[in-house]
């Protein structure tokens, strides 16, 4: 609800994107995707297209060059815990970490303050990886795979010491440990691509 964002989304929410905006496929519109929090972390369109979502409208990412650029706002940095969640419905499953849900990356192979929440392989397994001031956390369990043409509610959680992945509200029993503070090495955040 954009009309009263301060009371709907408290300060614990750093960004909420409903992605129900109507855009033209392969377009580029600055500020096309509104952040529903009072942080105003609006996203810029880079090729995505509007589509039917799980709840209302959503966005389609073509797995080639579509993404939403959120820039590098201060409100998305410096955390000692974090939760990322999304409704996803992949129409294909790519290999080599190509199906990114949310990232803070330059697309390189090394992390260095980077963050990835993505589908990691053609089996639909999820991966949550990022660097903190104290080390690298990498969680890529099996058993919580998403499937093609099926809506899944996926969540990645870091409580300050442990990484968790949930699919449709069920926690995968595999966890990974990493402490410290999450930075971001001055890189832009993106939905749908790294």
């Amino acid at each position: 609800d954009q009309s009263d964002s301060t009371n709907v989304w408290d300060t614990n929410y750093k960004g909420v994107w409903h992605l129900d905006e109507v855009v033209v496929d392969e377009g580029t519109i600055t500020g096309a995707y509104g952040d529903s929090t009072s942080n105003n972390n609006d996203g810029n369109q880079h090729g995505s297209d509007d589509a039917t979502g799980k709840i209302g409208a959503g966005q389609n990412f073509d797995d080639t060059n579509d993404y939403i650029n959120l820039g590098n706002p201060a409100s998305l940095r410096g955390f000692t815990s974090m939760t990322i969640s999304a409704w996803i419905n992949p129409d294909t499953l790519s290999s080599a970490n190509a199906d990114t849900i949310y990232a803070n990356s330059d697309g390189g192979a090394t992390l260095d303050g980077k963050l990835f929440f993505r589908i990691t392989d053609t089996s639909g397994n999820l991966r949550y990886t990022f660097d903190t001031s104290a080390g690298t956390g990498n969680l890529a369990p099996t058993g919580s795979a998403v499937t093609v043409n099926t809506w899944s509610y996926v969540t990645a959680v870091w409580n300050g010491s442990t990484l968790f992945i949930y699919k449709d509200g069920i926690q995968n029993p595999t966890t990974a440990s990493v402490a410290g503070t999450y930075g971001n090495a001055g890189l832009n955040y993106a939905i749908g691509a790294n």
Side-chain angles (χ1 to χ4, degrees):
D1 181 343
Q2 297 285 67
S3 63
D4 191 11
S5 58
T6 303
N7 290 316
V8 173
W9 306 105
D10 68 28
T11 58
N12 291 311
Y13 291 89
K14 304 307 179 189
V16 174
W17 300 273
H18 293 109
L19 305 183
D20 57 357
E21 293 81 0
V22 176
V23 295
V24 176
D25 190 20
E26 299 308 321
T28 55
I29 301 172
T30 301
Y33 302 101
D35 172 14
S36 293
T37 73
S38 59
N39 293 308
N40 296 316
N41 294 322
D42 297 342
N44 300 329
Q45 179 199 21
H46 289 274
S48 57
D49 191 14
D50 50 292
T52 301
K54 174 66 174 170
I55 303 168
Q59 293 298 303
N60 181 46
F61 302 95
D62 68 11
D63 220 13
T64 303
N65 59 357
D66 292 359
Y67 65 100
I68 297 169
N69 184 340
L70 302 172
N72 184 13
S75 59
L76 296 179
R77 296 180 269 172
F79 300 131
T80 55
S81 64
M82 115 180 46
T83 300
I84 302 165
S85 60
W87 279 104
I88 63 170
N89 183 7
D91 55 7
T92 61
L93 295 173
S94 304
S95 59
N97 297 312
D99 298 315
T100 300
I101 300 163
Y102 185 80
N104 175 240
S105 162
D106 61 3
T110 60
L111 285 173
D112 190 25
K114 299 172 186 133
L115 160 74
F116 302 100
F117 183 35
R118 59 175 41 143
I119 303 169
T120 191
D121 56 30
T122 57
S123 296
N125 292 306
L126 298 168
R127 169 174 259 158
Y128 184 32
T129 305
F130 67 95
D131 253 5
T132 70
S133 59
T136 298
N138 183 23
L139 178 59
T142 58
S144 294
V146 298
T147 55
V148 171
N149 299 318
T150 302
W151 284 103
S152 297
Y153 185 65
V154 296
T155 305
V157 175
W158 173 49
N159 67 5
S161 62
T162 307
L163 306 176
F164 306 89
I165 289 179
Y166 294 78
K167 180 188 156 217
D168 297 325
I170 299 171
Q171 180 189 326
N172 187 292
T174 304
T175 62
S177 297
V178 65
T181 300
Y182 171 72
N184 79 349
L187 304 169
N188 287 344
Y189 293 87
I191 298 171
N194 61 345

